[in-house]
Amino acid sequence: MARIALVTGGIGGIGTSICTRLAKDGCTVIANHHPSEAAVAETWKKDREAEGFAIDTIAADVSSFEDSARMIKEITEKHGPVDVLINCAGITRDKTFKKMEHAQWDAVMRVNLDSVFNVTRNVWEGMLERGFGRIINISSVNGQRGQFGQANYSAAKAGMHGFTMALAQEGASKGVTVNTVSPGYVETAMTLAMDDTVRNSIISGVPMRRMAQPAEIAAAIAFLAGDESAYITGANLPVNGGLFMH
Ligand code: CAA
């Protein structure tokens, strides 16, 4: 039977590629989006249909525990229990720390890190009971090495991998794997929002001298989501063009 996959932030730059890749691999895919993006999500769904993908969408603010619980309940009733969860929802609020306001810290923590608890907590017990699950947390190279102007984002992204390593231990004997994928700079609206000079200087520091395509990130996620990756857990897979090696 087809695995049921939920991608938070599923209509975003990386999220879209993950959705289509998992659909190609035979999963029933549900793309989560923020409630404020209802109109965009409707167009997104039609665009995917035109490409031959039947991907359902669901609105929920994953920074809210209650809304995340409601989302999981609705998905379970409509499609069945979630087998594969990709925590991909994320935002940036870049500022040098001396200028960073509490609201910018808080927004990034809630969306990038709290969401991982909010959504995972609502699928976790079901995965343990059924003896199968794949949780993949989309972190960032900047959670591994830090980035000027991103004290909030780097902290949240590093936190995601701490969560991965702890939960991997709790799921290991139950068939549930938990892994992190840490993309480098990827061609999406998020990186396009950066100042051109800053972006070009970052690209010149990438050994491959280019940004990643979203599909190159999705390929790593599809690998970890597959049944054959059952023995990989607690890992942090970098997909960064050589930008950071450890
Ligand atoms: N190292 C050291 N100094 C740096 C620096 C760096 N990497 N980058 C900038 N600076 C310096 C500048 O030269 C400038 O110096 P002066 O004050 O002496 O002139 C100062 O820092 C910048 O000061 P500003 O007042 O302009 O700073 P700001 O608070 O307005 O913010 C910034 C600047 C928005 C953080 C900008 O530097 C920036 O956009 N940096 C890139 C952040 C980044 O990489 N974001 C990634 C977004 S994509 C993403 O997050 C996806 C992913 O996972 C990879």
Side-chain angles (χ1 to χ4, degrees), residues 156-236:
K157 292 296 187 182
M160 287 174 92
H161 188 56
F163 174 86
T164 290
M165 293 187 291
L167 210 59
Q169 298 183 31
E170 295 190 24
S173 64
K174 312 280 185 196
V176 184
T177 67
V178 188
N179 291 290
T180 300
V181 169
S182 288
Y185 284 77
V186 187
E187 265 185 38
T188 63
M190 188 183 269
T191 52
L192 275 175
M194 281 189 294
D195 180 86
D196 281 353
T197 322
V198 173
R199 191 173 56 253
N200 290 335
S201 107
I202 287 170
I203 295 171
S204 68
V206 178
M208 287 192 191
R209 300 283 186 269
R210 66 173 178 91
M211 289 209 249
Q213 291 302 314
E216 294 176 301
I217 310 302
I221 291 147
F223 165 68
L224 291 169
D227 285 14
E228 286 181 346
S229 295
Y231 205 61
I232 304 175
T233 199
N236 188 354

Side-chain angles (χ1 to χ4, degrees), residues 92 94-96 99 140 142 147-150 153 184-185 190-191 194 198 202:
T92 53
D94 296 353
K95 276 283 166 206
T96 49
K99 290 188 193 165
S140 165
N142 293 343
Q147 168 61 38
F148 186 101
Q150 287 199 309
Y153 186 88
Y185 284 77
M190 188 183 269
T191 52
M194 281 189 294
V198 173
I202 287 170

